[in-house]
Amino acid sequence: MTAGAALLLVGAEAGWSQEVSPGGSRIHRYDGHQHQFRAPVSEAEHVADIEKALKPYLGEHYVYHELESDKVHIDVLVFRPTATRANWTFVTSGMSDLPMHVPQDVERAENYRFAELVIAVPARWFSADDKGMIPEAELKDYEKFWPVALLKFLARFPHEYDTWLWEGHSMPNGNPATPYADGTKLSGIVLSPLSGWPEQYWSVTMSDGRNVPLFAVVPVYDDEMALKLEKGFDALDQAFLYYGISEVLHQGRSSVAAELAR
């Protein structure tokens, strides 16, 4: 098969199984997973590569370092709002330190083993201290921090569950899905291309020669997830493009599925 869309379900009632939705998404269910701690084999190997590649576009930044790591060391590059990009932009570093477990029936599986993830929030989401950093108190406030926590969870997920994440893949927040935080009804994610970025920044060439793609983490509503499963990822992605949905999170935005149904 080619590298198509997928839906990943964690905590499903049934054991691991594989189904196909009407829109062509392969559905993977994970249950009974036994967590086993495994220390990372390396730390912060490619932060400098990502910094060098993205700074010309995203500007000044700092690194939110992970203090305790399991399987892979996930740091987050924090790019500050600028005059041209009024967003805090977060990019993972460490997801690509290990290859993902791509199914053997995926054509050219070796091309889909590495990725890093991106999410952004409006400049007003966080304040900044005198060093231009997000205050620690705000990082401890889950209602503010959840997009970053989600980013880190997704970056570790393929290595924890021996699976993979790629453009077009989606994951509900539990089964059944529940909102990520009190202030939103967004209850799942889809990985999308960074269509609003210049194409030269869609991937990073690491110092070891690997070309690692970057994917946008786009939180979605229940009906948007249903649209993707019924009509396919391309239908949802086209709706995102039409309504301007991107890696920049607006947790009270309108549902593109509801707009299409009008």
Side-chain angles (χ1 to χ4, degrees):
M1 64 168 289
T2 56
L7 173 73
L8 306 176
L9 292 171
V10 180
E13 292 181 0
W16 188 94
S17 64
Q18 189 179 109
E19 310 161 35
V20 179
S21 76
S25 293
R26 295 178 65 172
I27 300 175
H28 300 271
R29 301 177 186 269
Y30 302 85
D31 190 39
H33 175 73
Q34 299 296 316
H35 172 79
Q36 292 183 335
F37 176 83
R38 185 173 71 246
V41 297
S42 62
E43 292 188 5
E45 268 194 53
H46 300 290
V47 170
D49 298 331
I50 299 173
E51 289 175 332
K52 181 179 179 181
L54 297 184
K55 185 176 179 179
Y57 180 55
L58 296 178
E60 295 299 323
H61 65 280
Y62 66 96
V63 180
Y64 180 62
H65 291 283
E66 187 168 70
L67 300 180
E68 297 183 7
S69 300
D70 183 11
K71 298 176 181 64
V72 285
H73 180 87
I74 306 297
D75 288 328
V76 177
L77 286 78
V78 183
F79 290 88
R80 301 178 177 91
T82 67
T84 55
R85 285 187 58 80
N87 310 305
W88 292 93
T89 302
F90 305 93
V91 183
T92 62
S93 174
M95 180 179 176
S96 63
D97 286 357
L98 293 177
M100 293 185 286
H101 296 259
V102 184
Q104 293 183 353
D105 60 348
V106 172
E107 296 176 13
R108 301 183 302 278
E110 67 277 4
N111 295 335
Y112 304 104
R113 296 183 300 160
F114 301 102
E116 297 287 353
L117 304 177
V118 179
I119 198 169
V121 297
R124 64 180 180 277
W125 191 287
F126 292 110
S127 60
D129 61 20
D130 55 3
K131 295 181 180 178
M133 301 173 66
I134 298 171
E136 189 68 23
E138 295 186 25
L139 295 176
K140 293 180 179 179
D141 180 355
Y142 184 75
E143 295 299 313
K144 288 181 173 290
F145 185 69
W146 72 262
V148 185
L150 175 62
L151 193 70
K152 288 169 65 68
F153 166 78
L154 292 170
R156 202 180 320 275
F157 181 86
H159 308 296
E160 175 67 37
Y161 287 88
D162 294 334
T163 187
W164 65 312
L165 288 175
W166 204 257
E167 177 184 316
H169 288 192
S170 55
M171 184 187 301
N173 184 37
N175 186 34
T178 58
Y180 286 111
D182 289 342
T184 186
K185 293 184 179 180
L186 295 164
S187 59
I189 63 93
V190 173
L191 297 190
S192 297
L194 289 162
S195 53
W197 291 22
E199 191 169 348
Q200 70 194 84
Y201 299 109
W202 289 5
S203 63
V204 172
T205 300
M206 301 300 189
S207 54
D208 57 13
R210 292 177 300 132
N211 188 59
V212 176
L214 306 175
F215 297 122
V217 173
V218 182
V220 296
Y221 295 110
D222 287 348
D223 59 351
E224 292 174 332
M225 186 73 78
L227 171 65
K228 185 250 186 177
L229 295 178
E230 179 68 26
K231 302 294 185 181
F233 170 68
D234 286 346
L236 179 61
D237 192 44
Q238 288 301 310
F240 282 166
L241 287 172
Y242 183 81
Y243 289 105
I245 307 302
S246 69
E247 82 284 355
V248 183
L249 169 63
H250 295 283
Q251 63 178 352
R253 66 174 177 82
S254 298
S255 161
V256 301
E259 293 294 334
L260 291 173
R262 292 182 188 278

Short mmCIF file of all heavy atoms in Angstrom, two decimals, residues 29-64:
data_model
loop_
_atom_site.label_atom_id
_atom_site.label_comp_id
_atom_site.label_asym_id
_atom_site.label_seq_id
_atom_site.Cartn_x
_atom_site.Cartn_y
_atom_site.Cartn_z
N ARG A 29 -6.19 0.27 16.27
CA ARG A 29 -6.62 0.36 17.66
C ARG A 29 -5.54 -0.24 18.55
O ARG A 29 -4.99 -1.30 18.27
CB ARG A 29 -7.93 -0.40 17.85
CG ARG A 29 -9.07 0.11 16.97
CD ARG A 29 -10.32 -0.75 17.14
NE ARG A 29 -11.35 -0.35 16.21
CZ ARG A 29 -12.29 0.56 16.46
NH1 ARG A 29 -12.31 1.17 17.62
NH2 ARG A 29 -13.20 0.85 15.55
N TYR A 30 -5.25 0.45 19.65
CA TYR A 30 -4.22 0.00 20.58
C TYR A 30 -4.84 -0.17 21.96
O TYR A 30 -5.46 0.74 22.49
CB TYR A 30 -3.08 1.03 20.65
CG TYR A 30 -2.43 1.31 19.32
CD1 TYR A 30 -2.97 2.25 18.45
CD2 TYR A 30 -1.28 0.63 18.93
CE1 TYR A 30 -2.38 2.50 17.22
CE2 TYR A 30 -0.69 0.88 17.71
CZ TYR A 30 -1.24 1.81 16.86
OH TYR A 30 -0.65 2.06 15.64
N ASP A 31 -4.68 -1.32 22.53
CA ASP A 31 -5.22 -1.56 23.86
C ASP A 31 -4.32 -2.57 24.56
O ASP A 31 -3.62 -3.35 23.92
CB ASP A 31 -6.65 -2.11 23.77
CG ASP A 31 -7.32 -2.14 25.12
OD1 ASP A 31 -7.12 -1.20 25.89
OD2 ASP A 31 -8.03 -3.12 25.41
N GLY A 32 -4.33 -2.52 25.87
CA GLY A 32 -3.51 -3.46 26.63
C GLY A 32 -2.03 -3.19 26.54
O GLY A 32 -1.21 -4.07 26.84
N HIS A 33 -1.67 -1.98 26.14
CA HIS A 33 -0.26 -1.64 26.01
C HIS A 33 0.40 -1.58 27.39
O HIS A 33 -0.11 -0.96 28.31
CB HIS A 33 -0.11 -0.29 25.32
CG HIS A 33 1.31 0.20 25.24
ND1 HIS A 33 2.24 -0.34 24.39
CD2 HIS A 33 1.95 1.18 25.93
CE1 HIS A 33 3.39 0.28 24.55
NE2 HIS A 33 3.24 1.21 25.47
N GLN A 34 1.52 -2.25 27.52
CA GLN A 34 2.27 -2.24 28.77
C GLN A 34 3.47 -1.31 28.63
O GLN A 34 4.39 -1.59 27.85
CB GLN A 34 2.75 -3.67 29.11
CG GLN A 34 1.62 -4.66 29.32
CD GLN A 34 0.76 -4.30 30.52
OE1 GLN A 34 1.26 -3.93 31.58
NE2 GLN A 34 -0.55 -4.40 30.35
N HIS A 35 3.42 -0.20 29.36
CA HIS A 35 4.52 0.75 29.27
C HIS A 35 5.79 0.18 29.90
O HIS A 35 5.76 -0.39 30.99
CB HIS A 35 4.15 2.05 29.98
CG HIS A 35 5.30 3.01 30.11
ND1 HIS A 35 5.72 3.80 29.06
CD2 HIS A 35 6.14 3.27 31.14
CE1 HIS A 35 6.76 4.52 29.46
NE2 HIS A 35 7.03 4.22 30.70
N GLN A 36 6.89 0.33 29.18
CA GLN A 36 8.19 -0.05 29.69
C GLN A 36 9.16 1.10 29.45
O GLN A 36 9.37 1.52 28.31
CB GLN A 36 8.70 -1.33 29.02
CG GLN A 36 7.89 -2.57 29.36
CD GLN A 36 8.47 -3.82 28.72
OE1 GLN A 36 9.15 -3.76 27.70
NE2 GLN A 36 8.21 -4.96 29.33
N PHE A 37 9.73 1.60 30.54
CA PHE A 37 10.66 2.71 30.41
C PHE A 37 11.93 2.25 29.68
O PHE A 37 12.45 1.17 29.93
CB PHE A 37 11.04 3.27 31.78
CG PHE A 37 12.07 4.36 31.72
CD1 PHE A 37 11.71 5.66 31.45
CD2 PHE A 37 13.43 4.08 31.92
CE1 PHE A 37 12.65 6.67 31.39
CE2 PHE A 37 14.38 5.08 31.85
CZ PHE A 37 13.99 6.38 31.58
N ARG A 38 12.39 3.10 28.77
CA ARG A 38 13.65 2.85 28.08
C ARG A 38 14.36 4.19 27.90
O ARG A 38 13.81 5.10 27.27
CB ARG A 38 13.42 2.19 26.73
CG ARG A 38 14.71 1.79 26.00
CD ARG A 38 14.43 0.99 24.75
NE ARG A 38 13.83 1.80 23.70
CZ ARG A 38 12.61 1.66 23.23
NH1 ARG A 38 11.80 0.75 23.75
NH2 ARG A 38 12.15 2.43 22.24
N ALA A 39 15.53 4.32 28.47
CA ALA A 39 16.26 5.59 28.38
C ALA A 39 16.66 5.87 26.94
O ALA A 39 17.01 4.94 26.19
CB ALA A 39 17.50 5.53 29.27
N PRO A 40 16.61 7.13 26.51
CA PRO A 40 17.03 7.46 25.14
C PRO A 40 18.50 7.14 24.91
O PRO A 40 19.32 7.21 25.83
CB PRO A 40 16.80 8.97 25.07
CG PRO A 40 15.85 9.29 26.17
CD PRO A 40 16.15 8.30 27.26
N VAL A 41 18.82 6.81 23.66
CA VAL A 41 20.22 6.51 23.32
C VAL A 41 21.00 7.80 23.09
O VAL A 41 22.23 7.79 23.09
CB VAL A 41 20.30 5.62 22.07
CG1 VAL A 41 19.65 4.27 22.33
CG2 VAL A 41 19.62 6.29 20.86
N SER A 42 20.28 8.91 22.89
CA SER A 42 20.95 10.19 22.66
C SER A 42 20.05 11.32 23.11
O SER A 42 18.85 11.12 23.33
CB SER A 42 21.31 10.37 21.18
OG SER A 42 20.14 10.37 20.39
N GLU A 43 20.62 12.49 23.26
CA GLU A 43 19.85 13.67 23.67
C GLU A 43 20.26 14.87 22.83
O GLU A 43 21.45 15.11 22.62
CB GLU A 43 20.07 13.98 25.16
CG GLU A 43 19.48 12.95 26.11
CD GLU A 43 19.56 13.39 27.55
OE1 GLU A 43 19.97 14.54 27.80
OE2 GLU A 43 19.19 12.60 28.44
N ALA A 44 19.25 15.61 22.37
CA ALA A 44 19.46 16.89 21.70
C ALA A 44 20.45 16.80 20.55
O ALA A 44 21.24 17.70 20.32
CB ALA A 44 19.92 17.94 22.71
N GLU A 45 20.38 15.71 19.79
CA GLU A 45 21.31 15.52 18.68
C GLU A 45 21.11 16.53 17.57
O GLU A 45 22.07 16.96 16.94
CB GLU A 45 21.15 14.11 18.11
CG GLU A 45 22.08 13.08 18.72
CD GLU A 45 22.13 11.81 17.90
OE1 GLU A 45 22.38 11.89 16.68
OE2 GLU A 45 21.90 10.74 18.47
N HIS A 46 19.86 16.88 17.29
CA HIS A 46 19.59 17.64 16.07
C HIS A 46 18.90 18.98 16.32
O HIS A 46 18.37 19.58 15.39
CB HIS A 46 18.76 16.78 15.12
CG HIS A 46 19.45 15.51 14.73
ND1 HIS A 46 20.56 15.50 13.92
CD2 HIS A 46 19.21 14.22 15.08
CE1 HIS A 46 20.97 14.25 13.75
NE2 HIS A 46 20.18 13.46 14.45
N VAL A 47 18.92 19.45 17.57
CA VAL A 47 18.33 20.76 17.85
C VAL A 47 19.00 21.83 16.99
O VAL A 47 18.32 22.68 16.38
CB VAL A 47 18.47 21.12 19.34
CG1 VAL A 47 18.10 22.57 19.57
CG2 VAL A 47 17.56 20.23 20.19
N ALA A 48 20.31 21.81 16.91
CA ALA A 48 21.04 22.83 16.14
C ALA A 48 20.68 22.78 14.66
O ALA A 48 20.61 23.82 13.99
CB ALA A 48 22.55 22.65 16.33
N ASP A 49 20.45 21.57 14.12
CA ASP A 49 20.06 21.45 12.72
C ASP A 49 18.72 22.12 12.47
O ASP A 49 18.53 22.83 11.47
CB ASP A 49 19.97 19.97 12.32
CG ASP A 49 21.29 19.24 12.44
OD1 ASP A 49 22.35 19.88 12.30
OD2 ASP A 49 21.26 18.03 12.69
N ILE A 50 17.76 21.90 13.38
CA ILE A 50 16.42 22.48 13.21
C ILE A 50 16.48 23.99 13.41
O ILE A 50 15.84 24.76 12.67
CB ILE A 50 15.43 21.82 14.19
CG1 ILE A 50 15.34 20.31 13.89
CG2 ILE A 50 14.05 22.47 14.10
CD1 ILE A 50 14.53 19.54 14.89
N GLU A 51 17.25 24.43 14.39
CA GLU A 51 17.43 25.87 14.61
C GLU A 51 17.95 26.54 13.35
O GLU A 51 17.42 27.56 12.90
CB GLU A 51 18.42 26.09 15.76
CG GLU A 51 17.89 25.74 17.13
CD GLU A 51 18.96 25.88 18.21
OE1 GLU A 51 20.16 25.74 17.89
OE2 GLU A 51 18.58 26.14 19.36
N LYS A 52 19.01 25.99 12.79
CA LYS A 52 19.65 26.58 11.61
C LYS A 52 18.70 26.62 10.42
O LYS A 52 18.65 27.61 9.67
CB LYS A 52 20.90 25.78 11.25
CG LYS A 52 21.67 26.32 10.05
CD LYS A 52 22.91 25.48 9.78
CE LYS A 52 23.66 25.99 8.56
NZ LYS A 52 24.88 25.15 8.29
N ALA A 53 17.91 25.57 10.26
CA ALA A 53 17.02 25.49 9.11
C ALA A 53 15.83 26.45 9.20
O ALA A 53 15.42 27.02 8.19
CB ALA A 53 16.51 24.05 8.96
N LEU A 54 15.29 26.64 10.41
CA LEU A 54 14.04 27.39 10.55
C LEU A 54 14.20 28.84 10.98
O LEU A 54 13.28 29.64 10.81
CB LEU A 54 13.12 26.66 11.53
CG LEU A 54 12.66 25.26 11.13
CD1 LEU A 54 11.68 24.71 12.16
CD2 LEU A 54 12.03 25.25 9.74
N LYS A 55 15.33 29.18 11.55
CA LYS A 55 15.51 30.55 12.04
C LYS A 55 15.31 31.61 10.95
O LYS A 55 14.71 32.67 11.22
CB LYS A 55 16.89 30.71 12.68
CG LYS A 55 17.09 32.08 13.31
CD LYS A 55 18.44 32.18 14.03
CE LYS A 55 18.61 33.57 14.63
NZ LYS A 55 19.90 33.69 15.36
N PRO A 56 15.78 31.39 9.71
CA PRO A 56 15.55 32.42 8.69
C PRO A 56 14.08 32.74 8.45
O PRO A 56 13.74 33.85 8.06
CB PRO A 56 16.19 31.82 7.43
CG PRO A 56 17.23 30.88 7.95
CD PRO A 56 16.63 30.30 9.19
N TYR A 57 13.20 31.78 8.70
CA TYR A 57 11.77 32.00 8.49
C TYR A 57 11.03 32.36 9.78
O TYR A 57 10.22 33.29 9.80
CB TYR A 57 11.14 30.74 7.88
CG TYR A 57 9.67 30.86 7.64
CD1 TYR A 57 9.13 31.90 6.89
CD2 TYR A 57 8.78 29.91 8.16
CE1 TYR A 57 7.77 32.00 6.67
CE2 TYR A 57 7.41 30.00 7.94
CZ TYR A 57 6.91 31.06 7.20
OH TYR A 57 5.56 31.16 6.98
N LEU A 58 11.33 31.65 10.86
CA LEU A 58 10.57 31.83 12.10
C LEU A 58 11.21 32.82 13.08
O LEU A 58 10.55 33.28 14.00
CB LEU A 58 10.39 30.47 12.79
CG LEU A 58 9.55 29.45 12.03
CD1 LEU A 58 9.48 28.13 12.80
CD2 LEU A 58 8.14 29.98 11.76
N GLY A 59 12.49 33.11 12.91
CA GLY A 59 13.12 34.13 13.74
C GLY A 59 13.72 33.61 15.03
O GLY A 59 14.14 32.46 15.14
N GLU A 60 13.75 34.49 16.05
CA GLU A 60 14.42 34.18 17.31
C GLU A 60 13.65 33.12 18.10
O GLU A 60 12.42 33.02 18.01
CB GLU A 60 14.58 35.45 18.15
CG GLU A 60 15.50 36.48 17.53
CD GLU A 60 16.92 35.95 17.34
OE1 GLU A 60 17.39 35.19 18.21
OE2 GLU A 60 17.53 36.29 16.31
N HIS A 61 14.38 32.39 18.92
CA HIS A 61 13.78 31.27 19.62
C HIS A 61 14.61 30.90 20.84
O HIS A 61 15.71 31.43 21.06
CB HIS A 61 13.72 30.06 18.68
CG HIS A 61 15.08 29.57 18.31
ND1 HIS A 61 15.84 30.17 17.33
CD2 HIS A 61 15.84 28.57 18.82
CE1 HIS A 61 17.01 29.57 17.24
NE2 HIS A 61 17.03 28.59 18.15
N TYR A 62 14.08 29.99 21.61
CA TYR A 62 14.84 29.32 22.65
C TYR A 62 14.35 27.88 22.70
O TYR A 62 13.42 27.50 21.96
CB TYR A 62 14.71 30.02 24.00
CG TYR A 62 13.34 29.99 24.64
CD1 TYR A 62 12.99 29.03 25.59
CD2 TYR A 62 12.37 30.94 24.30
CE1 TYR A 62 11.73 29.00 26.18
CE2 TYR A 62 11.10 30.92 24.90
CZ TYR A 62 10.80 29.95 25.82
OH TYR A 62 9.55 29.93 26.40
N VAL A 63 14.97 27.05 23.53
CA VAL A 63 14.63 25.63 23.56
C VAL A 63 14.03 25.29 24.93
O VAL A 63 14.63 25.60 25.97
CB VAL A 63 15.86 24.75 23.28
CG1 VAL A 63 15.48 23.27 23.34
CG2 VAL A 63 16.45 25.09 21.92
N TYR A 64 12.87 24.66 24.89
CA TYR A 64 12.21 24.15 26.10
C TYR A 64 12.70 22.71 26.28
O TYR A 64 12.26 21.80 25.59
CB TYR A 64 10.69 24.22 25.92
CG TYR A 64 9.89 23.74 27.10
CD1 TYR A 64 9.97 24.36 28.33
CD2 TYR A 64 9.02 22.66 26.96
CE1 TYR A 64 9.23 23.92 29.41
CE2 TYR A 64 8.25 22.21 28.03
CZ TYR A 64 8.37 22.84 29.25
OH TYR A 64 7.62 22.40 30.32
#
